[in-house]
Amino acid sequence: MVTIADVAQAAGVSISTVSYVMSGKRAISQETRDRVEKAIDNLGFSPHAGARSLASRSTNVIGLQAPLRTGVDVHVVMQIVTGVVTQARKHGYDILLLASDDSKALQRAAKGSMVDALLVMDVESDDPRIDTLSGLDHPSVLIGLPQGRRAIPCVDFDFEAAGWLAVDRLVALGHRRLALIGSPLEVMARHTSYADRLARGFLAACEANGVVGTVHACPSTVEAVSTVADVMTEDPTITGFFVHNEGALPHVAATIAQRGRQRGDELAILALCPDDVARSVPGLADSIAVPAEAIGAAATDMICEILANGTKPAVRLLPPALTGDATAS
Amino acid sequence: MVTIADVAQAAGVSISTVSYVMSGKRAISQETRDRVEKAIDNLGFSPHAGARSLASRSTNVIGLQAPLRTGVDVHVVMQIVTGVVTQARKHGYDILLLASDDSKALQRAAKGSMVDALLVMDVESDDPRIDTLSGLDHPSVLIGLPQGRRAIPCVDFDFEAAGWLAVDRLVALGHRRLALIGSPLEVMARHTSYADRLARGFLAACEANGVVGTVHACPSTVEAVSTVADVMTEDPTITGFFVHNEGALPHVAATIAQRGRQRGDELAILALCPDDVARSVPGLADSIAVPAEAIGAAATDMICEILANGTKPAVRLLPPALTGDATAS
DNA sequence: CTGAAAGCGCTAACAC
DNA sequence: GTGTTAGCGCTTTCAG
């Protein structure tokens, strides 16, 4: 293994000079800098992460606890993780992936000085991990917006605003009777709050717009289709649909479109899902993008800012935006 | 921060004794051990990972490079990662998640002594990362089976055997004309080899069984349905379908089933996908599980064994198995 | 069975 | 603008 001492010797400078060339923490003459950098390249030197963290008391690693189980929107999780990893690298951090749902894992990583900070996804409102995080010396940011004391900074999508936006759009398209086809009950049962927030925004916007809106959870992804069919049968006056349900979206969209054709009605389907998913589903009037990767990036930015400046921001909600009806087929 | 010295003092022993109590690398009297362990608990001591890796020249971290982009079977990737993380913890390792598709990232992690070993997913046959890995001092294992020199140990699902198994099953069900509905072209274009292996096994098995088999790639997930429709129209004698295409599976299955009903034929659909996905798709005759989590776990076991014993196994392919027709609706 | 002490490779005072 | 050096917290000889 090539060490900083090897580099120093090769460049004919002291160890500390090499260190300072790398960190930029003190002025170095151009000449010296060049020699050192050349030596680093020639020898293929990379500083030993452990030695570094021992001496500097920081690891340049962020711990990420992501939900790896099924029963979450795998697509969205993946994109958030991508955003985190990508953005973290831009700030010079690496990501340690922690086993999900485990307070112990957070403590282990923090107390063992394996990470400088923690990013935690999929936190429920009464999640014990919130207390765990509060008790740690390490800064942390939640991806999601649990209800409660808000002791830890959060980053999430503004689902409530998305509900409003969806209604505004459907109303603008001329629809006066709307239905929100929501998450599977499984998701509703966990108290991650986003399904609630979406429904709240949707219903409030309906009221504000003076239109009729109803919210429908699906028993499961498979049964989403029959749920929609039931809704359409029970109230044939509904013409605007807002669908938020990853796996079921294509099926639901197809069902709605087919029935619309049979009835000869002009139905509109608005989806809430990642952009690329929307593009693969035909027949959507429009879609609201869940900016999953941006959420991951924003959370990472926030934790890095806390690490750098010691600031402690509170909650950051990313605003919804319509994709444009480019997705119409 | 509480250090090993604090523990030693609290327990009234030397630092080295505390270290040996933790590592178990030398005999300790029960009495001393008890005292030390109590001190560790009382003080809430966790050894500093960096200090440890500096002194011991090992990190207890495995680097994992997973494909975070879209255009892969997100479900399967997620499960493999889950298998890796879970199994790694059982061996006392943590997982550093590396930015995808980046030879540099592998080198950075290895040369910076951030990891003890590397696990790399989604390697293509002429992937430059294979050479990178060969040039490293750190052991590595590929998840997947690229063609070529096989310089690095691999773990993967036995897609070829899965092709055989599918045909055997369909033939046993009485079908003599079979079609493999394969991956999107996008996947075929990348040379990850599994689509090829599946097709090879499928065709060889058809020949061995004396039945007719054809292979059909889908232009995209969306167009999978029309692809199937075309296949069924062009050759109405096909009655056995083997579907391997994550996003499209439910749509394809629905299409096949519907057409079968129209024609009054007894069609059979066999799927290749994770168990839980199969359960959510109605109308399958049976399914072959992609044991994604087991693949991740097996790869982790392999790398840990290499780390522990210095053994260098070559290729490990996990055998396919039928789920049983419990998935029939 | 236990202790003392020499590093591991780096950072960051403290010198000049 | 550069060099010297004292740790950072742990593992592991080497002694007993």
Side-chain angles (χ1 to χ4, degrees):
Chain A
M1 157 177 243
V2 30
T3 74
I4 197 174
D6 300 327
V7 175
Q9 187 164 27
V13 298
S14 75
I15 286 180
S16 59
T17 296
V18 176
S19 176
Y20 284 119
V21 165
M22 297 194 303
S23 70
K25 287 189 180 171
R26 84 178 176 190
I28 303 279
S29 72
Q30 190 56 48
E31 185 191 20
T32 307
R33 175 189 308 284
D34 288 346
R35 245 179 323 137
V36 170
E37 279 169 351
K38 186 178 294 178
I40 289 178
D41 278 359
N42 288 342
L43 299 178
F45 166 71
S46 325
H48 186 290
R52 213 167 213 190
S53 87
L54 181 54
S56 70
R57 322 190 122 279
S58 90
T59 60
N60 277 289
V61 173
I62 294 169
L64 170 67
Q65 200 166 40
L68 295 174
R69 66 173 167 298
T70 53
V72 288
D73 188 331
V74 139
H75 229 95
V76 168
V77 169
M78 203 80 160
Q79 291 192 19
I80 292 178
V81 171
T82 303
V84 168
V85 172
T86 308
Q87 198 67 8
R89 279 309 308 144
K90 290 185 189 157
H91 290 281
Y93 285 87
D94 280 287
I95 296 298
L96 192 75
L97 188 61
L98 303 173
S100 309
D101 277 7
D102 194 353
S103 251
K104 292 286 176 208
L106 296 173
Q107 299 191 357
R108 233 176 44 80
K111 301 208 1 167
S113 299
M114 313 179 71
V115 300
D116 293 340
L118 292 162
L119 234 33
V120 182
M121 293 176 65
D122 203 51
V123 176
E124 301 179 27
S125 291
D126 57 347
D127 205 303
R129 289 177 293 171
I130 295 179
D131 283 341
T132 302
L133 291 172
S134 304
L136 256 29
D137 289 332
H138 293 62
S140 51
V141 166
L142 307 183
I143 298 176
L145 185 65
Q147 298 160 316
R149 208 171 311 291
R150 299 278 156 75
I152 311 284
C154 302
V155 172
D156 202 356
F157 178 60
D158 192 343
F159 283 93
E160 195 164 347
W164 279 87
L165 180 57
V167 172
D168 288 347
R169 180 78 174 110
L170 288 171
V171 167
L173 288 171
H175 299 276
R176 312 289 300 168
R177 295 183 162 265
L178 316 180
L180 166 60
I181 309 299
S183 310
L185 285 175
E186 177 185 11
V187 169
M188 308 287 274
R190 288 178 35 252
H191 298 285
T192 328
S193 93
Y194 65 84
D196 293 340
R197 286 184 280 145
L198 184 66
R200 193 188 315 141
F202 176 84
L203 292 173
C206 284
E207 198 173 325
N209 277 285
V211 304
V212 178
T214 51
V215 175
H216 311 268
C218 302
S220 72
T221 295
V222 198
E223 291 158 272
V225 169
S226 54
T227 302
V228 176
D230 291 349
V231 169
M232 296 181 79
T233 304
E234 281 172 28
D235 185 350
T237 66
I238 295 175
T239 58
F241 294 85
F242 182 36
V243 183
H244 174 49
N245 188 316
E246 67 144 344
L249 175 57
H251 317 236
V252 167
T255 305
I256 296 173
Q258 187 196 346
R259 291 226 169 187
R261 256 176 270 120
Q262 290 174 354
R263 299 198 324 218
D265 284 347
E266 279 292 323
L267 305 187
I269 309 167
L270 204 65
L272 179 61
C273 60
D275 255 2
D276 54 331
V277 172
R279 269 192 294 277
S280 77
V281 177
L284 299 182
D286 202 339
S287 79
I288 296 176
V290 175
E293 200 164 332
I295 292 170
T300 306
D301 285 343
M302 185 180 280
I303 200 85
C304 287
E305 196 200 315
I306 295 174
L307 246 15
N309 313 332
T311 53
K312 194 87 178 178
V315 169
R316 169 141 185 239
L317 297 183
L318 303 197
L322 288 162
T323 304
D325 47 5
T327 59
S329 55
Chain B
M1 160 176 240
V2 31
T3 75
I4 196 175
D6 300 328
V7 174
Q9 187 164 28
V13 298
S14 73
I15 285 179
S16 59
T17 296
V18 176
S19 177
Y20 283 120
V21 165
M22 296 195 303
S23 71
K25 287 188 181 173
R26 83 179 178 191
I28 303 280
S29 73
Q30 190 57 48
E31 186 191 18
T32 307
R33 176 189 307 284
D34 289 346
R35 245 177 326 137
V36 170
E37 280 169 350
K38 185 176 299 179
I40 289 179
D41 279 359
N42 288 343
L43 299 179
F45 167 71
S46 324
H48 185 290
R52 213 168 214 188
S53 87
L54 180 55
S56 69
R57 323 190 122 280
S58 91
T59 61
N60 277 287
V61 173
I62 294 169
L64 171 67
Q65 200 167 39
L68 295 175
R69 67 172 166 298
T70 53
V72 290
D73 188 331
V74 139
H75 228 97
V76 168
V77 169
M78 203 82 162
Q79 289 192 19
I80 292 178
V81 172
T82 304
V84 168
V85 172
T86 308
Q87 198 68 9
R89 278 310 308 144
K90 290 187 188 154
H91 290 283
Y93 285 88
D94 279 286
I95 296 299
L96 194 75
L97 188 61
L98 303 173
S100 309
D101 280 5
D102 193 355
S103 251
K104 293 285 176 211
L106 296 173
Q107 298 189 357
R108 235 175 43 80
K111 301 206 4 168
S113 299
M114 313 179 72
V115 301
D116 294 340
L118 292 162
L119 236 32
V120 181
M121 291 176 67
D122 203 51
V123 176
E124 300 179 26
S125 291
D126 56 348
D127 204 302
R129 289 177 294 172
I130 295 179
D131 283 340
T132 302
L133 292 172
S134 305
L136 257 27
D137 289 332
H138 292 62
S140 52
V141 166
L142 307 183
I143 298 177
L145 185 64
Q147 296 160 320
R149 208 172 310 292
R150 296 281 155 74
I152 311 285
C154 302
V155 173
D156 202 357
F157 178 60
D158 193 342
F159 282 93
E160 194 164 349
W164 280 87
L165 181 57
V167 172
D168 287 347
R169 180 78 173 111
L170 287 170
V171 167
L173 288 171
H175 300 275
R176 312 288 300 167
R177 294 181 163 265
L178 317 181
L180 167 59
I181 309 298
S183 310
L185 287 176
E186 177 185 12
V187 170
M188 310 286 275
R190 289 180 33 252
H191 298 284
T192 329
S193 97
Y194 66 85
D196 293 340
R197 287 183 278 144
L198 184 68
R200 192 188 315 142
F202 177 82
L203 292 172
C206 284
E207 199 174 326
N209 276 284
V211 303
V212 178
T214 50
V215 175
H216 311 270
C218 301
S220 70
T221 295
V222 199
E223 291 158 274
V225 169
S226 55
T227 302
V228 175
D230 291 350
V231 169
M232 295 181 79
T233 304
E234 281 171 29
D235 185 349
T237 66
I238 294 175
T239 58
F241 294 86
F242 181 37
V243 183
H244 174 49
N245 188 316
E246 66 144 344
L249 175 57
H251 318 234
V252 168
T255 305
I256 296 174
Q258 186 195 347
R259 291 228 170 187
R261 256 176 270 120
Q262 290 173 353
R263 298 196 328 217
D265 284 348
E266 278 291 322
L267 306 185
I269 309 166
L270 204 64
L272 179 61
C273 61
D275 256 1
D276 53 332
V277 173
R279 268 193 295 276
S280 77
V281 177
L284 299 181
D286 202 339
S287 80
I288 296 176
V290 176
E293 199 165 332
I295 292 170
T300 306
D301 285 342
M302 186 180 278
I303 200 83
C304 288
E305 196 200 314
I306 295 174
L307 247 14
N309 313 332
T311 53
K312 193 87 178 179
V315 170
R316 169 140 186 238
L317 297 182
L318 303 197
L322 289 162
T323 306
D325 47 3
T327 60
S329 54

